[in-house]
Amino acid sequence: MSSPTASTTRPHVVIIGSGFGGLFAAQRLAKADVDVTLIARTTHHLFQPMLYQVATGIIAEGEIAPATRVVLRKQKNAKTLLGDVFEVDLEAKTVTSRLLERVTVTPFDSLIIAAGADQSYFGNDHFAEYAPGMKTIDHALELRGRILGAFEQAELSDDPEERAKLLTFVVVGAGPTGVEMAGQIAEMSDKTLKGAFRNIDPTEARVILLDAAPAVLPPFGEKLGQKAAARLEKMGVEVQLGAMVVDLDYDGLVVKDKDGTTRRIESQCKVWSAGVQASPLGKQLAEQSGVELDRAGRVKVLPDLSIPGNPYVFVVGDMMAVDGVPGVAQGAIQGGRYAADAIKAGLNGQTAEQRKPFSYYDKGSMATVSRFSAVMQVPIPGTKKKFETEGYFAWLGWLALHLVYLVGFRNRLNTLVNWFFAFSTRGRTQLAVTEQQVYARTALGALSEMENKPVPEVEADTSGADDPEKKAEAS
């Protein structure tokens, strides 16, 4: 077990997570008289809203996942540690992380927890093997391999039923990620892969978008949800609402419709984008401080984003539960900056009681549906109304906003070039896949289970230990 030694006696701020909340909090503390340690289980900062473009071959993973160390290399008061935080001790004021077999204990004076959320399968965790989520680079690369691999397998098959199963793609969850994913799979099959095979016609691929909810894009309201659904259906996507997934295996899934009947859809390639579950660190905070959690495991923080009895322990991003703050990038960014500002104000003598409550500024919501089509909802300042639009101008707004929040000029430039190529020629530059990308996650999971499984004790057979004949046979 190791423990980082502080080089100064300045207050030590520890940040868990390198997502929007963690990275923007670290950058906000750049000129503060503190030492900052950012601990994350990945080496990169992930721009999660564009993962679906990695999964469908539009952009490369490096363009939305710059190395955190490189991003923070000029910030002299910050350092990064690679490791999965598995324990937060509020009384001892330490954070414990693990990298392979190395365990590191990091003390803190202030703590910002931005550990994010994972995909939720609503108690059916075995679904993950057959329907990857959309939360990590590993997920996106695995899905890209599964999508393209389905077309390759269909090309080799002479069985019509098997081909139909291989060319049926099911996306579970009709939120922004699900809508974007379904739209891009449909565009890839209709445009990018058209004419690239000899035994199959990729344009005949079947794309299904499922959701137990009665509407597409529920947070955007009925009008925009209907517009998005109409656009998807025009592209050939089958939108099936009021349909709950009750079982899922390698070859397909079982769906329960709102009338109670069940049916099976044969599909080898499934994508899961329904539901999130906050980091298990929230449960530790609840046990130690008494703070409440919501159904998704998010922490019901105080108005200043801290937890009871711990004014310098903040929870931000997808881990925090605050009324009116959606689980989007802006909520994490604003929460991370607020926590950093509260820490800086504390250095100047401000007490926790003097803090102004966190106030979220809603900059609106956007979701792409297809090339040249998106939906956008932006609040009108000074009113309770929202400006809503869809189509080409909403799509341009989505492109501009996401370019702004990409980290690094080169990443913005490369993304812009790839977008121009993809949207003007309908080609995609990132269609290479490997067997490891498709199967490595499942194989590593199986290996981990084998390592954790106790080895059964085997009793030695000593019945013939003194028998010369049996000794001879054994030799």
Side-chain angles (χ1 to χ4, degrees):
M1 182 179 294
S2 61
S3 178
T5 55
S7 58
T8 71
T9 58
R10 297 192 301 183
H12 188 201
V13 181
V14 172
I15 300 172
I16 302 174
S18 60
F20 287 107
L23 182 64
F24 278 75
Q27 292 176 324
R28 194 77 159 192
L29 292 167
K31 297 182 179 179
D33 190 24
V34 297
D35 291 315
V36 179
T37 299
L38 188 149
I39 308 174
R41 58 184 178 182
T42 66
T43 61
H44 55 264
H45 161 70
L46 178 60
F47 194 89
Q48 200 175 93
M50 288 172 62
L51 266 179
Y52 78 95
Q53 294 199 4
V54 174
T56 53
I58 296 176
I59 59 176
E61 61 271 21
E63 290 162 16
I64 63 167
T68 311
R69 290 185 181 278
V70 175
V71 175
L72 295 176
R73 63 184 170 187
K74 294 183 179 180
Q75 187 171 326
K76 300 303 182 183
N77 70 337
K79 67 178 180 180
T80 63
L81 295 179
L82 180 63
D84 187 9
V85 174
F86 64 90
E87 183 180 1
V88 174
D89 190 328
L90 297 179
E91 184 177 355
K93 302 186 76 171
T94 60
V95 166
T96 307
S97 58
R98 179 186 291 113
L99 175 62
L100 300 177
E101 299 302 319
R102 184 183 298 275
V103 175
T104 304
V105 178
T106 308
F108 65 83
D109 297 299
S110 297
L111 177 64
I112 300 175
I113 306 177
D118 294 320
Q119 204 75 58
S120 173
Y121 290 87
F122 308 108
N124 299 293
D125 291 345
H126 61 286
F127 286 4
E129 180 179 352
Y130 311 111
M134 281 291 289
K135 290 295 180 183
T136 67
I137 288 290
D138 284 335
H139 287 153
L141 294 177
E142 181 179 2
L143 281 169
R144 189 168 76 192
R146 291 193 179 202
I147 293 167
L148 294 171
F151 286 103
E152 296 293 345
Q153 291 179 68
E155 174 79 352
L156 296 172
S157 176
D158 295 323
D159 183 350
E161 290 187 4
E162 184 184 26
R163 277 188 177 181
K165 179 180 68 176
L166 290 166
L167 294 179
T168 297
F169 301 89
V170 179
V171 180
V172 182
T177 300
V179 167
E180 290 166 343
M181 195 69 191
Q184 285 306 315
I185 295 174
E187 283 202 342
M188 179 189 293
S189 60
D190 284 347
K191 308 298 180 184
T192 306
L193 300 179
K194 183 178 180 180
F197 294 86
R198 297 297 174 261
N199 296 325
I200 62 170
D201 181 1
T203 65
E204 295 179 356
R206 184 184 179 196
V207 182
I208 302 173
L209 179 64
L210 288 176
D211 202 305
V216 171
L217 297 176
F220 286 77
E222 183 179 356
K223 180 182 176 182
L224 290 181
Q226 290 178 349
K227 291 282 189 180
R231 174 58 184 162
L232 287 171
E233 289 172 345
K234 186 177 180 180
M235 297 169 62
V237 177
E238 299 177 32
V239 179
Q240 301 181 11
L241 302 175
M244 179 185 298
V245 177
V246 294
D247 197 11
L248 196 151
D249 56 41
Y250 181 81
D251 292 313
L253 63 163
V254 178
V255 176
K256 183 178 181 180
D257 291 314
K258 55 186 177 182
D259 61 2
T261 60
T262 59
R263 56 191 168 90
R264 181 174 175 84
I265 301 174
E266 296 294 327
S267 169
Q268 184 172 302
C269 186
K270 286 86 64 180
V271 183
W272 192 275
S273 64
V276 294
Q277 182 69 32
S279 166
L281 293 179
K283 185 177 180 181
Q284 292 189 28
L285 298 179
E287 292 171 348
Q288 296 178 57
S289 70
V291 68
E292 293 184 36
L293 306 179
D294 68 4
R295 293 177 60 184
R298 294 176 299 185
V299 180
K300 294 184 178 181
V301 292
L302 298 175
D304 64 353
L305 305 187
S306 68
I307 60 176
N310 297 270
Y312 284 94
V313 176
F314 303 89
V315 181
V316 303
D318 288 341
M319 278 193 67
M320 71 177 184
V322 179
D323 290 340
V325 182
V328 295
Q330 270 303 316
I333 291 171
Q334 293 179 35
R337 287 173 170 170
Y338 172 90
D341 288 342
I343 292 171
K344 290 193 292 185
L347 298 176
N348 295 325
Q350 185 188 73
T351 64
E353 292 74 19
Q354 295 173 320
R355 293 174 188 160
K356 292 183 179 180
F358 171 68
S359 178
Y360 174 66
Y361 177 64
D362 187 359
K363 296 185 177 181
S365 303
M366 298 180 180
T368 58
V369 183
S370 66
R371 187 176 68 107
F372 303 154
S373 180
V375 294
M376 179 171 64
Q377 188 180 73
V378 181
I380 301 175
T383 72
K384 294 183 179 181
K385 298 181 178 180
K386 294 183 178 181
F387 170 74
E388 297 181 346
T389 186
E390 52 86 25
Y392 181 71
F393 289 105
W395 180 76
L396 287 179
W398 186 95
L399 295 182
L401 182 67
H402 284 67
L403 271 181
V404 168
Y405 282 104
L406 273 177
V407 175
F409 172 77
R410 171 177 271 181
N411 288 335
R412 296 190 188 105
L413 180 61
N414 288 342
T415 299
L416 190 60
V417 171
N418 280 329
W419 279 351
F420 176 80
F421 181 79
F423 300 138
S424 62
T425 69
R426 300 179 181 180
R428 304 185 183 210
T429 60
Q430 305 298 321
L431 297 179
V433 295
T434 69
E435 188 175 4
Q436 287 188 14
Q437 290 172 343
V438 181
Y439 298 111
R441 182 178 65 89
T442 304
L444 286 171
L447 180 61
S448 179
E449 289 182 8
M450 291 174 61
E451 289 177 343
N452 295 329
K453 187 179 295 184
V455 179
E457 294 184 2
V458 179
E459 294 184 2
D461 182 5
T462 59
S463 60
D466 298 325
D467 189 334
E469 292 185 3
K470 288 188 175 181
K471 285 185 178 180
E473 291 177 3
S475 61

